[in-house]
Amino acid sequence: DCRINVQQRLSQLKGIKECIACEFTIDALMGIIKDNQSVPAIEYGLDKVCSVMPKTVTKECKEFVATYTPVVVNLIKNNVNPKTICTLIKLCTKSELRHSFGTPSLRLGEKKCTYGPSYWCVTRANAQRCHTEKHCEAHGGYA
């Protein structure tokens, strides 16, 4: 059916756009924070990153930052290779990546704090363990 093929292709294009926005954002973030991978430096970088992005991806950058700040902070803080972050948070597949990054140093789900808001915001204890209290409180509290 032609409609299914069109819908599949649109879904693939949306995925590629999200992947590119993620890669641009992480690349720019790492340029801002350089070697300072402390939580305050990462949060500061994420607050500033969209202002240095091309206007064509500013909207996607802001959406990415609003959604993924806690997980990006945790991944970088836990020394996850920045080149693998977009794959770990499922915004890129290996075929969509611009570069050949190799094997991720952490598998998604290996650490519970990589599960995202559906894990962090279930309880205050989870949010504290993952350092995501601000995110959970800003997005409706705990389940």
Side-chain angles (χ1 to χ4, degrees):
D1 185 323
C2 186
R3 284 183 306 186
I4 293 172
N5 289 335
V6 170
Q7 288 174 336
Q8 286 174 337
R9 186 67 183 138
L10 288 174
S11 178
Q12 290 170 342
L13 290 174
K14 181 178 184 247
I16 290 169
K17 186 176 182 181
E18 290 171 345
C19 176
I20 291 169
C22 178
E23 286 189 328
F24 265 107
T25 304
I26 296 299
D27 286 347
L29 171 64
M30 298 314 292
I32 291 170
I33 67 172
K34 309 239 185 274
D35 292 328
N36 184 357
Q37 295 185 356
S38 66
V39 171
I42 299 165
E43 289 174 341
Y44 172 82
L46 286 164
D47 283 342
K48 301 297 177 200
V49 72
C50 296
S51 65
V52 300
M53 300 288 283
K55 292 198 186 307
T56 56
V57 293
T58 299
K59 178 182 176 222
E60 289 82 2
C61 177
K62 288 179 180 180
E63 289 171 1
F64 174 85
V65 168
T67 304
Y68 293 102
T69 288
V71 74
V72 170
V73 168
N74 277 306
L75 290 170
I76 293 173
K77 181 184 70 156
N78 286 308
N79 298 313
V80 171
N81 181 343
K83 303 287 186 195
T84 66
I85 289 174
C86 299
T87 303
L88 290 172
I89 60 177
K90 304 269 187 204
L91 291 179
C92 295
T93 64
K94 289 185 185 217
S95 65
E96 292 169 344
L97 295 174
R98 289 178 292 152
H99 309 287
S100 176
F101 294 139
T103 306
S105 60
L106 174 70
R107 293 173 194 237
L108 186 65
E110 191 171 314
K111 293 191 176 188
K112 290 184 178 181
C113 289
T114 66
Y115 292 1
S118 63
Y119 173 78
W120 311 326
C121 301
V122 170
T123 65
R124 180 176 289 282
N126 288 1
Q128 289 171 336
R129 186 177 313 112
C130 298
H131 308 286
T132 58
E133 298 99 326
K134 287 181 187 177
H135 172 84
C136 294
E137 290 165 8
H139 292 89
Y142 306 97

